[in-house]
């Protein structure tokens, strides 16, 4: 995996696959992008090592990885990217028998959540270490949950954790050597959708959403805020809390990434792992409401401090 990373870094420099900072960036130095190619590579290596199982899911991640890499290079149209993402999610659902197990209106909800998750993780990929650490918390939590509720393929998770750890060698530092790019953030989001759907099908509990609470609250509330300000919610911006902390607050990227990952890790531990059960519906609603209020209080305070809209 390390060899793949080193070879890609050399090729990216040679072919100028470089992220050049602009007025919306949270970094100042041109940096290799697309290092998240390690994430689908990890899945592909697992697939070849373990008898080519879950082929439809693997084809799906290769589809989103390919279109995302092309978008990193050429900035493709949103409709094309959306169409490929829809097709890839369909492959994951087919692999999990969603079309046979769920009524059409539930499937529609799955698509909305899936496409929303892809874009949420992509929007949140903006500072050094945040995508890698948050994904590490997600996958590590699944491994822990798998010890008392065997649902997931442990080898697949372990291969992906290895890929993320290698990526973090290049990314989790004050001056990153590589960014994940769309290929990384969207590929890992695809895996999150796959695992969470598998989890829901096993437990029939919607409370699985809490495993991505930090990203979910940040993305949804920021979109609502931008909508109220009559902004285009699909356009890049610098209004996420982590962006305010990095840009206006001048906090170190790696410290912000650790903070986000640790908050989600604590939530996962106390809500899922410690008591070896799924949280109750009323507890889940309470946690979401309290977390939203805490998030808004911190963000609005910082916006007033830095005179932001």
């Amino acid at each position: 995996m390390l060899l793949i990373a080193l070879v890609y870094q050399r090729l990216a420099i040679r072919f100028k696959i470089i992220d050049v900072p602009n007025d919306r960036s949270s970094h100042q130095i041109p940096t290799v992008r697309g290092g998240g190619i390690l994430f689908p590579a990890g899945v592909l290596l697992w697939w070849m090592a373990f008898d080519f199982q879950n082929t439809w899911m693997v084809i799906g991640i290769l589809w989103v990885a390919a279109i995302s890499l092309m978008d990193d290079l050429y900035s493709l149209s949103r409709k094309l990217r959306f169409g490929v993402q829809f097709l890839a999610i369909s492959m994951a659902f087919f692999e999990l028998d969603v079309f046979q197990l769920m009524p059409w209106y539930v499937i529609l909800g799955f698509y909305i959540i899936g496409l929303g998750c892809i874009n949420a993780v992509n929007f949140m990929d903006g500072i050094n270490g945040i995508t890698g650490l948050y994904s590490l918390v997600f996958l590590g939590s699944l491994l822990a949950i798998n010890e008392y509720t065997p649902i997931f393929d442990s080898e697949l998770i372990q291969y992906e954790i290895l890929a993320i750890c290698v990526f973090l060698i290049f990314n989790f530092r004050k001056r990153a050597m590589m960014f994940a790019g769309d290929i990384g953030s969207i590929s890992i989001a695809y895996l999150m959708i796959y695992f969470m759907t598998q989890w829901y099908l096993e437990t029939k509990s919607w409370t699985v959403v809490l495993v991505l609470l930090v990203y979910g609250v940040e993305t949804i509330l920021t979109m609502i805020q931008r909508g109220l300000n009559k902004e285009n919610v699909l356009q890049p911006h610098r209004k996420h809390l982590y962006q305010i902390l990095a840009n206006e607050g001048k906090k170190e990227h790696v410290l912000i990434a650790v903070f986000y990952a640790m908050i989600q890790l604590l939530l996962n531990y106390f809500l899922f792992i410690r008591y070896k059960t799924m949280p109750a519906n009323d507890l889940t609603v309470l946690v979401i409401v309290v977390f939203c209020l805490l998030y808004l209080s911190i963000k609005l305070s910082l916006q007033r401090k830095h005179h932001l809209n």
Side-chain angles (χ1 to χ4, degrees):
M1 198 65 71
L2 182 59
L3 179 61
I4 294 173
L6 292 170
V7 169
Y8 176 79
Q9 185 187 33
R10 294 291 183 181
L11 290 173
I13 293 172
R14 178 177 178 181
F15 293 104
K16 295 182 172 54
I17 309 175
I18 306 294
D19 191 293
V20 179
N22 55 41
D23 60 343
R24 295 183 300 268
S25 302
S26 296
H27 63 285
Q28 290 78 43
I29 301 170
T31 306
V32 168
R33 65 178 170 180
I37 196 171
L38 293 172
F39 304 160
V43 174
L44 190 60
L45 289 174
W46 164 83
W47 180 69
M48 292 188 292
F50 290 91
D51 299 324
F52 309 101
Q53 56 185 311
N54 303 106
T55 299
W56 284 107
M57 180 274 289
V58 175
I59 293 173
I61 198 170
L62 293 179
W63 268 101
V64 292
I67 200 68
S68 300
L69 181 60
M70 294 296 292
D71 190 47
D72 280 332
L73 296 172
Y74 303 112
S75 296
L76 304 177
S77 74
R78 187 176 293 118
K79 289 182 180 179
L80 177 59
R81 287 183 281 122
F82 180 85
V84 173
Q85 291 168 11
F86 183 89
L87 177 62
I89 290 175
S90 299
M91 292 178 179
F93 289 171
F94 181 78
E95 183 73 60
L96 295 170
D97 292 327
V98 170
F99 300 114
Q100 285 73 40
L101 297 173
M102 294 291 145
W104 69 268
Y105 51 88
V106 175
I107 294 172
L108 178 61
F110 276 24
Y111 273 108
I112 293 171
I113 293 171
L115 292 168
C117 182
I118 283 179
N119 287 283
V121 175
N122 193 30
F123 288 158
M124 291 294 292
D125 180 36
I127 60 173
N128 304 349
I130 194 166
T131 294
L133 286 184
Y134 196 81
S135 301
L136 206 56
V137 166
F138 175 84
L139 293 170
S141 297
L142 295 193
L143 271 186
I145 291 164
N146 221 34
E147 289 297 313
Y148 63 84
T149 307
I151 299 172
F152 314 105
D153 189 304
S154 295
E155 288 81 10
L156 172 57
I157 296 174
Q158 290 163 1
Y159 267 69
E160 199 58 26
I161 286 175
L162 174 61
I164 292 169
C165 288
V166 171
F167 169 72
L168 285 172
I169 294 172
F170 296 85
N171 182 255
F172 187 59
R173 49 178 70 207
K174 185 173 182 178
R175 179 179 174 181
M177 298 172 65
M178 282 197 301
F179 293 149
D182 285 354
I183 186 174
S185 59
I186 291 178
S187 294
I188 202 68
Y190 177 85
L191 282 178
M192 289 176 175
I193 296 162
Y194 178 77
F195 285 127
M196 289 181 68
T197 302
Q198 189 176 24
W199 195 1
Y200 174 82
L201 293 175
E202 178 69 25
T203 63
K204 298 298 187 293
S205 175
W206 67 275
T207 60
V208 297
V209 299
L210 290 179
V211 81
L212 292 178
L213 181 65
V214 176
Y215 267 26
V217 167
E218 170 103 62
T219 303
I220 293 170
L221 292 185
T222 301
M223 288 180 68
I224 292 173
Q225 181 185 29
R226 297 188 69 210
L228 292 174
N229 291 335
K230 296 181 170 55
E231 300 175 29
N232 186 340
V233 297
L234 298 179
Q235 292 298 318
H237 60 91
R238 290 173 45 149
K239 294 193 174 181
H240 284 298
L241 176 58
Y242 79 85
Q243 292 171 316
I244 296 172
L245 290 170
N247 299 319
E248 284 75 25
K250 306 302 180 185
K251 305 297 183 184
E252 291 289 344
H253 288 198
V254 293
L255 293 179
I256 299 170
V258 168
F259 175 72
Y260 270 67
M262 287 302 299
I263 293 297
Q264 187 64 68
L265 179 60
L266 289 172
L267 288 167
N268 292 355
Y269 176 75
F270 286 106
L271 293 172
F272 296 101
I273 299 169
R274 181 175 181 179
Y275 300 105
K276 299 182 179 181
T277 186
M278 302 297 293
N281 292 342
D282 53 353
L283 175 61
T284 300
V285 172
L286 177 63
V287 169
I288 293 173
V289 170
V290 170
F291 195 83
C292 286
L293 292 174
L294 287 172
Y295 172 85
L296 286 174
S297 65
I298 295 170
K299 186 174 184 180
L300 293 176
S301 174
L302 287 173
Q303 287 180 319
R304 286 193 296 270
K305 178 181 178 181
H306 298 293
H307 308 290
L308 302 172
N309 293 329

